Amino acid sequence: MATDPPVPTSGLVLAAGAGRRFGGPKALARTSAGAPWLALAVRALVEGGCREVVVALGAAADEAAPLVPPGARIVRVDDWATGMAASLRAGLEALAFGTSTAVVVLPVDTPEVSPAAVARLARRAAPDALAQATYEGAPGHPVLLGRAHWAPLAASVRGDIGARPYLIAQDAELVECGDLWSGRDHDTR
């Protein structure tokens, strides 16, 4: 298990979409060995030092909810069909009532993510922190959002355009994680 980050840090799994290119909701996806991607994402965040984890569910939420490990909190995203931004907003809104200083955001379609990559981002946690994992210089996940960025980021995201434009505009710290895992997300089966 990773060392806890220096400040209280939460994790957020984005898993509300319909997965049109994938062929169905990624919240229901499993590895070839049968492990639910949701469980793997929650485990990576916890082992990476996140003290609480919120999972944003939308499409197939009733079927996906039993795949969420105990201890993680489910947030239902009623407007999930409007795009990824709805999941991000709902997750940040749910975390706003807690005491975490930062959140590590991870989409569910990164089942091979290393808890060490989560920990590398979580160690940068601070209210004004903003960091994104990179893989041989290419941007990827996870992403760290300090609490000071939650409201302005939530106000800036629309449809299927996530945090990337905000991260660029705010000059987020780029954190190379290619030595820890591939950074590959699964958009298709």
Side-chain angles (χ1 to χ4, degrees):
M1 188 156 194
T3 306
D4 286 342
V7 298
T9 305
S10 293
L12 172 58
V13 179
L14 302 178
R20 285 181 285 280
R21 287 179 292 166
F22 188 73
K26 295 176 187 179
L28 301 176
R30 295 176 180 265
T31 65
S32 59
W37 286 7
L38 279 172
L40 296 173
V42 170
R43 184 175 75 203
L45 290 166
V46 170
E47 290 180 4
C50 297
R51 69 174 186 174
E52 72 167 324
V53 176
V54 168
V55 178
L57 295 179
D62 291 339
E63 296 86 1
L67 303 176
V68 176
R73 180 167 46 119
I74 295 171
V75 172
R76 301 252 178 173
V77 183
D78 294 332
D79 59 343
W80 62 267
T82 63
M84 177 193 343
S87 300
L88 186 55
R89 277 193 304 274
L92 292 174
E93 210 172 274
L95 289 165
F97 297 103
T99 59
S100 288
T101 300
V103 61
V104 177
V105 181
L106 187 65
V108 72
D109 66 357
T110 56
E112 295 93 8
V113 67
S114 166
V118 172
R120 191 171 284 175
L121 275 284
R123 282 193 296 273
R124 290 163 165 75
D128 60 347
L130 200 58
Q132 180 171 30
T134 60
Y135 300 89
E136 296 181 16
H141 290 92
V143 170
L144 175 81
L145 306 171
R147 183 178 277 275
H149 293 282
W150 297 359
L153 174 61
S156 75
V157 294
R158 299 277 181 275
D160 269 331
I161 299 173
R164 184 81 182 120
Y166 183 88
L167 296 170
I168 292 169
Q170 297 297 316
D171 197 26
E173 177 185 5
L174 301 178
V175 181
E176 182 58 45
C177 293
D179 59 316
L180 302 174
W181 74 295
S182 71
R184 180 173 175 247
D185 64 349
H186 296 269
D187 287 329
T188 59
R189 287 193 194 268

